[in-house]
Amino acid sequence: MLSIQHETTIDASTEAVWEATVDIEALPEHTPTITYAVRLDGGPLAPGSRVRLKQPGQRSAVWTVTHMDRPRRFVWETRSLGMRTVGIHDIEGGPTTTNRLTVELHGRMAKLAGRALRPLIARSLAKENAGIKAAAESLGFDDPGRGGSTIATSD
C-alpha cells in the first residue's frame, strides 16, 4: 500500500468543513481537481452511495462511499488498472479545523503507479484542500491570519 496525505488548517467549524466535503455536486465549483461529479443514486450520502467523478487527465470513475462518521470521516474508493484507490477525508477540531486528505493505493500496481503518480497526487490533494478550505470558510467564520498546510507521504 502507498499512502499520500495533505493536511491543512481551516478557519471554519468542523460542520462547515464537513458540508464543503460532502456536497459532492458542488465539488467542481470549488476544486480544480474535479471536472464533474454526478451522484448515481438518491438520498443522503451514505455507505454504498456511488458518484461518477471526472478528474483532469483521467477517465471518469465511479467512487463508492465505504464509511461515514458524520462530521468527522468520509471514505470512498474506486478500482481500476489492477489498483484500488481509497480517498479518506478526516476532519478534526473546531472552531479552527484540521482537514486531512489521504489517498491510499492498494493492489499489485500500487507501488509502480504510486511512484509515477506521487507528485501529481500530492499536488492534487493540496489543490483539493485549498478548495475545501475556501468553500468552508465562506460557510463559517474567517480569520485570514491562521491556517497552514503540510504534505506527507509514506510507502
Side-chain angles (χ1 to χ4, degrees):
M1 184 219 16
L2 176 75
S3 179
I4 304 163
Q5 189 174 89
H6 182 271
E7 185 176 291
T8 194
T9 301
I10 300 177
D11 296 318
S13 68
T14 302
E15 293 76 19
V17 176
W18 178 259
E19 289 306 315
T21 299
V22 298
D23 187 358
I24 300 302
E25 289 86 358
L27 288 176
E29 296 170 22
H30 59 255
T31 179
T33 60
I34 299 175
T35 307
Y36 69 78
V38 178
R39 290 280 313 272
L40 299 177
D41 37 40
L45 198 63
S49 294
R50 296 172 309 124
V51 178
R52 180 171 300 280
L53 289 181
K54 172 73 173 91
Q55 296 178 283
Q58 299 180 32
R59 292 182 175 152
S60 69
V62 174
W63 288 76
T64 303
V65 177
T66 58
H67 179 81
M68 287 189 91
D69 179 14
R70 297 177 189 270
R72 302 282 180 205
R73 188 165 229 238
F74 165 54
V75 181
W76 54 357
E77 66 181 53
T78 190
R79 295 175 187 269
S80 69
L81 304 173
M83 245 184 342
R84 180 171 57 102
T85 303
V86 179
I88 304 167
H89 300 256
D90 284 311
I91 302 166
E92 300 172 3
T96 45
T97 301
T98 300
N99 196 49
R100 184 177 313 104
L101 302 178
T102 306
V103 169
E104 294 178 352
L105 303 177
H106 300 262
R108 65 182 188 273
M109 297 298 292
K111 284 204 178 210
L112 178 63
R115 285 189 185 110
L117 297 175
R118 180 189 306 258
L120 174 66
I121 293 170
R123 282 191 305 273
S124 293
L125 290 176
K127 289 177 184 178
E128 183 174 338
N129 233 346
I132 291 171
K133 176 179 175 68
E137 287 176 351
S138 74
L139 294 174
F141 70 90
D142 192 317
D143 182 359
R146 298 177 3 212
S149 64
T150 60
I151 295 175
T153 61
S154 67
D155 287 318

